[in-house]
Amino acid sequence: MTRGTERDAADCNIDNIDEYHAMRDEAFTNVKAPPPSEYDIAQFKEAFADNDDEFDYDRPERNAKQRALIWYSDTLYSASELLVIMPEVVPDCNEFDGVKTIQLLTAMYPEAYFLPSREYGVAIFVYPPNGTTALKTPNKIEIERLKADSCTIHVIQREDKLIHVIGLSFD
């Protein structure tokens, strides 16, 4: 698949931090409203193709689907969409639990929109439902319950409005 904000798996190292930030900012700014299309979901599955037990790490070029270690969805997901799709695509990854983590996260932000991503590990970005009112940042206990390795706030400008996006990384 060629569409989306993705880096080639062979060139997935973040050697140029400015290039990485520019790519992420572009993804945050140009993301489409839900619902995700079938193509968006297929792209999501391909980015995490290495979660499949059949994935050949020794010869990745032989895999039918090529993972992407740096990838951002083109489309936001509602809480109900994320609850269904995430456990199917990423049932688990290190400390990330595709069911429990997403249940907790969507309970914290039931009206928010979510940008599933991959920054080597799982990353999820949370957009406020109305676009401009900043969401409450998770506290230390909530971050521990989610088993997130980091929580960041990204301020982006979209259509002359500042939007505060919460970023959660699960390495």
Side-chain angles (χ1 to χ4, degrees):
M1 295 187 169
T2 58
R3 201 182 107 206
T5 307
E6 160 181 352
R7 289 186 62 151
D8 182 5
D11 182 35
C12 62
N13 292 322
I14 303 173
D15 295 326
N16 182 331
I17 196 72
D18 293 332
E19 176 187 332
Y20 165 69
H21 286 296
M23 183 181 84
R24 186 178 59 200
D25 291 346
E26 179 183 340
F28 287 178
T29 304
N30 296 319
V31 69
K32 295 179 293 190
S37 68
E38 287 182 28
Y39 182 84
D40 292 320
I41 295 167
Q43 184 185 36
F44 186 7
K45 289 177 180 177
E46 186 162 347
F48 286 92
D50 56 337
N51 276 356
D52 186 342
D53 292 336
E54 309 267 323
F55 191 82
D56 186 346
Y57 285 94
D58 297 326
R59 296 191 179 118
E61 69 281 355
R62 291 185 176 191
N63 294 304
K65 294 183 178 181
Q66 300 299 312
R67 70 178 178 174
L69 293 180
I70 305 294
W71 170 82
Y72 303 93
S73 175
D74 287 334
T75 305
L76 294 170
Y77 288 62
S78 68
S80 60
E81 292 159 345
L82 197 68
L83 277 165
V84 171
I85 297 166
M86 187 61 128
E88 179 186 333
V89 176
V90 188
D92 58 65
C93 182
N94 299 326
E95 292 293 313
F96 178 81
D97 183 312
V99 174
K100 292 178 185 174
T101 302
I102 298 306
Q103 286 175 344
L104 288 168
L105 184 60
T106 56
M108 289 171 62
Y109 302 108
E111 301 299 319
Y113 296 109
F114 303 87
L115 182 70
S117 305
R118 183 167 192 173
E119 294 178 335
Y120 293 100
V122 176
I124 300 174
F125 297 91
V126 187
Y127 283 67
N130 67 2
T132 57
T133 304
L135 296 166
K136 179 189 163 291
T137 306
N139 62 38
K140 184 178 178 179
I141 293 170
E142 291 167 328
I143 292 169
E144 287 173 3
R145 259 193 261 143
L146 290 167
K147 297 184 180 179
D149 293 299
S150 68
C151 178
T152 54
I153 303 296
H154 303 272
V155 180
I156 60 169
Q157 186 167 351
R158 189 170 177 174
E159 300 173 9
D160 298 327
K161 295 178 184 173
L162 292 179
I163 301 171
H164 293 77
V165 177
I166 298 170
L168 297 162
S169 294
F170 307 87
D171 295 330

